[in-house]
Amino acid sequence: MLRLALAAVISATPICVFADPLPSWANTETRARIIDFVGAVTDPEGTDYVTPAARVAVFDNDGTLWSEQPVYFQLTFALDRLSEMAEADPSILTTPTLKAAAEGDLQAIVDGGHEALIEVLNASHSGVDVPDFQAAVADWLQTARHPDTGLPYDQMTYQPMVELLRYLRDEGFRTYIVSGGGLHFMRVFAEEAYGIPPEQVLGTYTDTTYEVTNGTPSIIKAPGIAFIDDKEGKPINIERTIGRRPILAAGNSDGDFAMLEWTTAGDGPRLGVLIHHTDAEREWAYDRESPIGKLADGLDKGSENGWVIVDMAQDWDRIYTGAE
Amino acid sequence: MLRLALAAVISATPICVFADPLPSWANTETRARIIDFVGAVTDPEGTDYVTPAARVAVFDNDGTLWSEQPVYFQLTFALDRLSEMAEADPSILTTPTLKAAAEGDLQAIVDGGHEALIEVLNASHSGVDVPDFQAAVADWLQTARHPDTGLPYDQMTYQPMVELLRYLRDEGFRTYIVSGGGLHFMRVFAEEAYGIPPEQVLGTYTDTTYEVTNGTPSIIKAPGIAFIDDKEGKPINIERTIGRRPILAAGNSDGDFAMLEWTTAGDGPRLGVLIHHTDAEREWAYDRESPIGKLADGLDKGSENGWVIVDMAQDWDRIYTGAE
Ligand SMILES: [Ca+2]
Ligand SMILES: [Ca+2]
């Protein structure tokens, strides 16, 4: 009995972990500010205490949780998928834009602007039920490799951010993705890569239709974009879907400005985080002039808004989850 | 030390509760089927075991979790609010429909059909930021009383369903509302009435706009309806927002047919539940011919689909949370 009792004591004793929650973050002020914020909102004796239910943290994906150069990874997937679909049935390439896309001619898509992009997305992302689409994304992640790093795309997640997500969850936060990327695309890898389940992934979406064929219902991706989860769309989507104002928001471009603005304008302690791509050696360096991930307003007004600007080169000891 | 150890043993011993999880349900086959289902999906040794992450249960609201007669409670709120707004500023009643509505003339709205309804909803539900709108709903719930029962509307929740929601959560389910009712309206009372937090309330919504005035951002309800969470809209909204197919769905009208159909067509154990309003004495009796909560397809095909049809008069020992 005593033995049993002692075993119970041991198993009932919390294991105190003093391990560094953010081992890939350099010992800078950035890191200290994040840890101070988390400490303040989780201290039940402190004036800045926030109940676990209200500990909502939202993260952009492209350029915030994983890389986005030389083009958004989802666009690479779209071209690869179109090329694969065309091998099976060349007749789907009904326009010069689609022919160029299937040949991987990215410049043609860029030159074609918004219309060309929608054409490519429609051809590669619609007319398929959601499970089949997601199986195609999963297959692609297995085989595709990034042209510069040679890594699988879902290994180009930022290790410091993966640690931050886990740290926040360990401290009672719920972590969400709120991204301009496609909802169905991101849900395929978000759980394994980031520990974020499908119901906590918000993104851009196409309409879907509900169709019953021979008694079997399916949800089919329709052409066109029904909602763009970018700029003002981000706070709107958060309010609509989560129904709470977050206390922490992280992004990397002016597409995240409204999300950080709305988050940090709330009462009580709030943290806005911007990832500044400053590391041309280990990743990419870009901001004000970049067509992808343009960051100008955030640099101009972020500091006066009290946002933490993460300098990738200085603040991160490590970049990719899949390397080093 | 021994004392401490024994205390630890006691505190570490799970408290076994054999209390009835569904005390307001009569001891009928309906109750047995629900308990059998929950037992099967939560038994780790059983062939029907479902992991907690996949234990998603979705519930319609009007007529499923609370009453919906003589009209949807939200419409009563709309008329009351319009009347209150008109007291402060009569000039807002710009049309005969709005004038009739502010006088509580329900028949005029019914006669005016969809257009009249939208007019009333626009006038009472838009041009206001979300927190102010929700404060108005909360005020109304405090003071308004149902014409027949004299109860506050949020006390006209069905006690058996409140118990079912709690029972499911105790068994590791996540419970969601998926309703044709307004998202912002329902979130005001869902947590207290049902234990369902804002992020687990899905419903019909207006567009919202993000506006920054003197540096302060707000999310404003716009006129019109952006998404109707009814019929095919329900599985579409569930797929989009939750990203998982539920294993249990409960509704009361043909507006829930697609949601139950999609839920129960999935692999593995699934449960569809339809609340059949059979109790004219304690609640209301209506189905095939009712303009509100019409239930015909569900009665015709529910049984062959294996759905549980709850007979309110027979299966429920008690109706309202707020009475008895
Ligand atoms: Ca981004
Ligand atoms: Ca209903």
Side-chain angles (χ1 to χ4, degrees):
Chain A
M1 178 63 198
L2 178 59
R3 200 170 213 165
L4 196 72
L6 288 172
V9 171
I10 291 162
S11 69
T13 304
I15 299 163
C16 296
V17 180
F18 295 104
D20 181 354
L22 299 175
S24 300
W25 290 70
N27 195 12
T28 60
E29 199 203 326
T30 300
R31 185 181 183 286
R33 284 188 64 192
I34 292 171
I35 288 179
D36 284 352
F37 173 80
V38 174
V41 300
T42 56
D43 174 8
E45 311 294 318
T47 53
D48 282 344
Y49 179 72
V50 174
T51 60
R55 287 181 210 157
V56 169
V58 291
F59 290 80
D60 169 60
N61 184 44
D62 297 306
T64 298
L65 297 181
W66 75 356
S67 288
E68 60 184 348
Q69 299 286 0
V71 289
Y72 295 125
F73 295 174
Q74 190 174 353
L75 182 56
T76 305
F77 162 74
L79 299 193
D80 287 353
R81 176 163 159 83
L82 200 60
S83 168
E84 197 181 301
M85 290 166 73
E87 266 176 46
D89 177 10
S91 75
I92 64 166
L93 303 177
T94 50
T95 67
T97 297
L98 293 180
K99 286 199 181 85
E103 282 160 17
D105 182 353
L106 210 64
Q107 196 55 47
I109 312 307
V110 172
D111 293 346
H114 187 71
E115 264 177 62
L117 186 65
I118 295 292
E119 213 179 312
V120 170
L121 287 177
N122 284 350
S124 57
H125 281 62
S126 72
V128 56
D129 78 3
V130 173
D132 283 353
F133 175 78
Q134 295 191 314
V137 176
D139 282 350
W140 178 78
L141 286 170
Q142 288 292 324
T143 55
R145 296 295 179 267
H146 190 279
D148 297 334
T149 66
L151 287 170
Y153 288 93
D154 57 357
Q155 293 290 308
M156 288 179 68
T157 52
Y158 303 134
Q159 178 61 20
M161 297 305 281
V162 171
E163 292 167 7
L164 176 58
L165 289 166
R166 192 184 304 136
Y167 170 48
L168 291 171
R169 288 193 297 268
D170 285 348
E171 297 292 336
F173 281 74
R174 290 193 305 296
T175 53
Y176 287 82
I177 291 175
V178 180
S179 166
L183 180 66
H184 292 130
F185 179 78
M186 293 186 293
R187 281 181 176 157
V188 175
F189 57 88
E191 186 138 30
E192 199 172 318
Y194 307 129
I196 298 183
E199 62 269 29
Q200 291 175 6
V201 177
L202 284 62
T204 293
Y205 52 82
T206 56
D207 272 323
T208 47
T209 59
Y210 181 78
E211 293 173 26
V212 182
T213 310
N214 300 326
T216 302
S218 311
I219 293 181
I220 313 282
K221 287 170 73 68
I225 293 182
F227 182 82
I228 299 181
D229 192 33
D230 196 32
K231 301 196 176 78
E232 291 76 11
K234 292 199 176 202
I236 284 170
N237 201 11
I238 293 168
E239 197 288 318
R240 179 179 298 159
T241 309
I242 310 178
R244 306 182 191 260
R245 199 192 287 220
I247 65 167
L248 187 158
N252 77 301
S253 80
D254 288 345
D256 302 308
F257 191 91
M259 176 167 82
L260 267 71
E261 179 181 59
W262 185 58
T263 297
T264 58
D267 292 334
R270 308 274 165 165
L271 192 68
V273 176
L274 279 176
I275 309 299
H276 188 193
H277 291 262
T278 51
D279 196 328
E281 210 160 302
R282 297 183 300 171
E283 208 240 7
W284 285 269
Y286 57 96
D287 47 39
R288 295 175 185 277
E289 306 300 329
S290 177
I292 288 177
K294 181 184 171 183
L295 180 67
D297 290 353
L299 290 178
D300 291 338
K301 296 175 206 152
S303 293
E304 73 190 64
N305 286 348
W307 300 345
V308 171
I309 316 280
V310 176
D311 180 330
M312 279 178 76
Q314 298 295 319
D315 291 325
W316 287 359
D317 281 346
R318 178 176 162 185
I319 305 287
Y320 294 126
T321 302
E324 198 143 343
Chain B
M1 179 61 199
L2 178 59
R3 200 166 213 172
L4 196 74
L6 288 172
V9 171
I10 291 161
S11 70
T13 303
I15 299 163
C16 295
V17 180
F18 294 104
D20 182 353
L22 299 175
S24 299
W25 290 70
N27 195 11
T28 61
E29 199 204 324
T30 301
R31 185 181 184 285
R33 284 188 62 192
I34 292 170
I35 288 180
D36 284 352
F37 173 80
V38 173
V41 301
T42 56
D43 174 7
E45 311 295 316
T47 51
D48 282 345
Y49 179 72
V50 174
T51 59
R55 288 182 210 156
V56 170
V58 291
F59 290 79
D60 169 60
N61 184 44
D62 297 307
T64 299
L65 298 180
W66 75 357
S67 288
E68 59 183 349
Q69 299 287 359
V71 289
Y72 296 124
F73 296 174
Q74 190 175 354
L75 182 55
T76 306
F77 162 75
L79 298 194
D80 289 353
R81 177 163 160 83
L82 200 60
S83 168
E84 198 182 299
M85 289 167 73
E87 266 177 44
D89 177 10
S91 74
I92 64 165
L93 303 177
T94 50
T95 68
T97 298
L98 294 180
K99 285 198 181 85
E103 283 160 16
D105 182 353
L106 211 62
Q107 195 56 48
I109 312 307
V110 171
D111 293 346
H114 187 71
E115 262 179 61
L117 186 67
I118 295 292
E119 212 178 314
V120 170
L121 287 177
N122 283 351
S124 57
H125 282 62
S126 72
V128 55
D129 79 3
V130 174
D132 283 353
F133 175 79
Q134 295 192 312
V137 176
D139 282 350
W140 178 78
L141 286 170
Q142 287 292 322
T143 56
R145 295 294 178 268
H146 190 279
D148 298 333
T149 66
L151 288 169
Y153 288 92
D154 57 356
Q155 294 289 309
M156 289 180 68
T157 52
Y158 302 133
Q159 178 61 21
M161 298 304 282
V162 171
E163 291 167 7
L164 176 57
L165 289 166
R166 193 185 303 135
Y167 170 48
L168 290 171
R169 289 192 297 268
D170 285 349
E171 296 293 336
F173 282 73
R174 289 193 306 297
T175 54
Y176 287 82
I177 291 175
V178 179
S179 167
L183 180 68
H184 293 128
F185 180 78
M186 295 186 292
R187 280 180 177 159
V188 175
F189 56 89
E191 185 139 30
E192 201 171 316
Y194 307 128
I196 298 182
E199 62 269 30
Q200 290 174 9
V201 177
L202 284 61
T204 293
Y205 52 82
T206 57
D207 272 324
T208 47
T209 58
Y210 180 80
E211 292 171 26
V212 181
T213 311
N214 299 326
T216 301
S218 310
I219 292 180
I220 312 282
K221 284 171 75 66
I225 293 182
F227 182 81
I228 299 181
D229 192 32
D230 195 30
K231 300 197 175 78
E232 292 77 12
K234 291 198 177 202
I236 285 169
N237 201 10
I238 293 168
E239 196 288 318
R240 181 180 295 158
T241 309
I242 309 178
R244 305 183 193 260
R245 199 192 287 220
I247 65 166
L248 187 158
N252 77 302
S253 81
D254 288 345
D256 301 308
F257 192 91
M259 176 167 80
L260 267 71
E261 179 181 59
W262 184 59
T263 296
T264 59
D267 293 333
R270 308 274 166 165
L271 192 68
V273 176
L274 279 176
I275 309 299
H276 188 193
H277 291 261
T278 52
D279 196 328
E281 211 160 299
R282 297 183 301 172
E283 209 241 4
W284 285 269
Y286 57 96
D287 47 37
R288 294 175 186 277
E289 306 300 330
S290 177
I292 288 177
K294 179 183 172 184
L295 180 66
D297 290 352
L299 290 178
D300 292 338
K301 297 176 206 151
S303 293
E304 72 189 66
N305 285 349
W307 301 345
V308 172
I309 316 281
V310 176
D311 180 331
M312 278 179 76
Q314 298 295 319
D315 292 326
W316 288 0
D317 282 345
R318 177 177 163 186
I319 305 286
Y320 295 126
T321 302
E324 198 146 344

